[in-house]
Amino acid sequence: QVQLVESGGGLVQAGDSLRLSCVVSGDTWTILTMNWLRQAPGKEREFVAAIDWSRGSTAYADSVKGRFTISRDNTKSTVYLQMNSLKSEDTANYYCASRRGPGAYASWGQGTQVTVSS
């Protein structure tokens, strides 16, 4: 089993930057990809970014492409989400989640709140 703990959320102004961290522990050998998702009040959870755990290739939602960067430090078992040029529509609870392969996410963190004031 994989355990995930997010941190780094907070209240910022539009245009500011923020970096989220997700510490990964447990059966990390089972991880294929690490992902960031977010859920705003009254909306469904949506995909934000993903990174291949071993190869480092990345993918992004169109809404964050060019502004957000996902990265990982395998020596620290940590995944990061660098968020630049934040907008009010980026306000959400951000979750990291692991995947073993195609299909459902295997493990979830508890989430970290990001609030962007305009």
Side-chain angles (χ1 to χ4, degrees):
Q1 201 168 4
V2 172
Q3 292 82 43
L4 307 172
V5 178
E6 303 100 330
S7 62
L11 172 63
V12 296
Q13 293 188 333
D16 285 351
S17 298
L18 206 58
R19 188 176 80 159
L20 306 182
S21 300
C22 174
V23 176
V24 185
S25 61
D27 296 333
T28 57
W29 60 271
T30 66
I31 298 172
L32 179 63
T33 65
M34 285 299 301
N35 305 265
W36 285 98
L37 298 96
R38 66 187 181 186
Q39 187 167 22
K43 295 188 177 181
E44 292 190 355
R45 195 170 293 182
E46 64 174 357
F47 169 80
V48 175
I51 188 165
D52 187 288
W53 188 242
S54 58
R55 291 179 293 181
S57 53
T58 58
Y60 297 92
D62 287 343
S63 58
V64 306
K65 206 171 289 184
R67 300 189 298 123
F68 290 11
T69 303
I70 188 171
S71 62
R72 89 251 191 266
D73 184 339
N74 286 7
T75 64
K76 298 180 180 179
S77 293
T78 302
V79 179
Y80 303 98
L81 185 68
Q82 177 67 43
M83 304 185 294
N84 298 330
S85 303
L86 282 161
K87 305 175 181 180
S88 56
E89 51 262 44
D90 295 318
T91 294
N93 205 2
Y94 283 72
Y95 300 88
C96 64
S98 65
R99 250 183 171 153
R100 298 176 183 171
Y105 296 97
S107 297
W108 291 85
Q110 81 288 353
T112 185
Q113 178 67 36
V114 172
T115 303
V116 184
S117 63
S118 56

